[in-house]
Amino acid sequence: MSGSDPAARLLECLRRERVVSGERLSETLGISRAAIWKHVEQLRARGYRIEAEHARGYRLAGIPDRLLPDEIVTRLTARRLGRRVVYFEETDSTNVQAMRLAREGAAEGTLVIAERQTHGRGRLGRSWSSPAFVSLYGSWILRPTLPPADAPQLSLAAALAVARTLEALAPGRVTIKWPNDCLLDGRKVAGILTEMDAEIDRVRAVVLGIGVNLNAGTRAFAPELRPIATSVRLATGRKVDRLAFTAALCDALEAVYDRLLQEGFGALIAEWNRYSCLSGREVTVDCAGHRTTGRVDGLDASGRLVLIGADGRRTPIVAGDVSVVGGYDKTRAAGGPRRGGSAR
Ligand code: BTN
């Protein structure tokens, strides 16, 4: 639907007013009563509940549990991120589609959403299981004025935005595991896959792919993932309004993105460290077959994870897979994640 589409304008009128007569709708939209009826039927076919109240008119009684572009946009405060939404009921991977659109020149902020992904992609070549109509699979196209080497900061900043958005649903229970896994009660609830189209010294586009397990039930997770992954619904017992969550995430992403570009990553570190489940812990980081062990000091001004070795030397880590050394692992509380999450 677009703004000039009569069905979209009809929906706008129904949203604004409690009950609207067919006659008023016909006048406002400049189309016949028969055409109004046809568009009402079309909207009903898309899952909108529109009740006809005797002698009074039409009433919007419910909207479909679908991440429809118009429904996201009407809930947004953000001015750029999520203002244009490309929607798929099913696609291979929103990251793949977003990168294609980015190369075709799509504007910054464009959000690609899918209700289901057939080849959802995770970090380090893993997959991301993406059952239909229960969670959020979205990829935002960004065109930041950052050098390519700083692009990982976008993933870290995005993790902060996801954590803030989840915090509103489960206060005090959200943590981040470097670089960008979001955990709820120690189990992975969201993951981020950032991909880049760049020249050696210039970023053309970054695709920020985010998967958040919102209303998935236990059976949405493969048996081996059940002890280490969760959804907001499983953890809180409450169904999440996926549209409200998606719009709130766009708002949070825009806020951290603007701050990152204006003030640098340093402005986000203190809050990031407060969410980190690794601060002060002994960890091992695996990166391309190379292992580094040390106590986590926190993030440095570029977003690298700083480890303090047994000899007191500080080693900044740029990328890798982190596991906590020995003993009880707080990042895996309630059987929480070693790696991966809703998928690998
Ligand atoms: C991870 O391994 O933790 C990252 C998972 C990222 C999954 C999201 S879902 C939306 C976007 N499309 C993809 O194919 N992957 C990302």
Side-chain angles (χ1 to χ4, degrees):
M1 277 192 288
S2 79
S4 55
D5 172 359
R9 287 165 51 225
L10 171 57
L11 204 48
E12 243 176 73
C13 293
L14 293 175
R15 264 194 245 280
R16 262 199 317 267
E17 291 169 54
R18 233 185 59 76
V19 188
V20 202
S21 70
E23 196 182 338
R24 270 261 325 279
L25 284 170
S26 151
E27 272 167 30
T28 313
L29 303 183
I31 54 177
S32 67
R33 298 276 297 268
I36 296 287
W37 174 251
K38 193 185 87 194
H39 291 303
V40 165
E41 284 304 304
Q42 269 175 10
L43 288 168
R44 283 179 174 151
R46 284 181 214 165
Y48 287 91
R49 263 186 38 236
I50 299 173
E51 289 172 357
E53 293 195 1
H54 181 65
R56 297 188 65 206
Y58 295 105
R59 189 172 79 85
L60 183 60
I63 57 168
D65 183 7
R66 297 286 181 270
L67 297 175
L68 298 173
D70 289 353
E71 296 297 338
I72 294 173
V73 171
T74 54
R75 288 165 175 76
L76 277 186
T77 307
R79 289 148 65 111
R80 302 185 323 286
L81 272 60
R83 280 282 152 196
R84 182 180 171 229
V85 182
V86 177
Y87 175 84
F88 293 92
E89 271 212 356
E90 179 181 296
T91 192
D92 46 1
S93 151
T94 55
N95 266 33
V96 169
Q97 296 304 327
M99 190 53 90
R100 177 182 58 76
L101 290 169
R103 293 201 165 113
E104 288 168 11
E108 165 151 282
T110 302
L111 165 60
V112 180
I113 288 254
E115 299 286 9
R116 171 170 183 262
Q117 299 183 115
T118 52
H119 293 85
R121 290 157 50 174
R123 286 178 62 236
L124 308 171
R126 296 169 188 149
S127 62
W128 186 261
S129 93
S130 311
F133 304 119
V134 287
S135 286
L136 166 60
Y137 319 114
S139 301
W140 285 256
I141 296 173
L142 304 178
R143 299 194 181 276
T145 49
L146 284 176
D150 287 350
Q153 294 172 6
L154 291 166
S155 303
L156 298 167
L160 188 55
V162 175
R164 281 184 190 172
T165 312
L166 287 168
E167 184 73 28
L169 302 176
R173 296 163 63 183
V174 180
T175 50
I176 305 175
K177 183 171 176 228
W178 188 87
N180 48 27
D181 285 350
C182 284
L183 315 183
L184 188 47
D185 300 338
R187 296 182 188 212
K188 182 156 168 172
V189 71
I192 299 173
L193 176 67
T194 307
E195 297 180 279
M196 180 164 61
D197 177 21
E199 291 162 29
I200 197 111
D201 55 355
R202 186 178 77 93
V203 174
R204 276 193 287 256
V206 164
V207 167
L208 197 60
I210 303 181
V212 190
N213 303 326
L214 294 176
N215 292 322
T218 316
R219 276 183 305 181
F221 301 102
E224 71 275 17
L225 295 176
R226 288 179 193 163
I228 61 171
T230 194
S231 72
V232 179
R233 186 180 191 168
L234 284 171
T236 65
R238 281 188 300 275
K239 186 173 178 205
V240 180
D241 176 337
R242 294 191 305 141
L243 281 166
F245 185 89
T246 305
L249 180 55
C250 288
D251 293 346
L253 280 170
E254 187 163 294
V256 295
Y257 182 54
D258 285 349
R259 190 120 192 252
L260 173 68
L261 295 187
Q262 282 156 21
E263 298 173 43
F265 186 73
L268 303 176
I269 291 180
E271 188 184 357
W272 206 101
N273 280 335
R274 279 200 298 279
Y275 276 112
S276 172
C277 61
L278 295 177
S279 300
R281 302 188 69 84
E282 280 292 314
V283 301
T284 296
V285 184
D286 279 304
C287 183
H290 182 76
R291 306 188 98 197
T292 315
T293 298
R295 188 170 53 76
V296 174
D297 191 35
L299 295 191
D300 71 7
S302 333
R304 298 175 300 184
L305 186 74
V306 179
L307 301 191
I308 304 179
D311 56 1
R313 267 221 333 244
R314 297 164 66 82
T315 310
I317 309 285
V318 179
D321 212 16
V322 183
S323 43
V324 174
V325 176
Y328 175 64
D329 180 348
K330 203 173 93 191
T331 71
R332 289 185 230 159
R338 175 194 293 272
R339 59 192 185 145
S342 95
R344 295 197 183 148

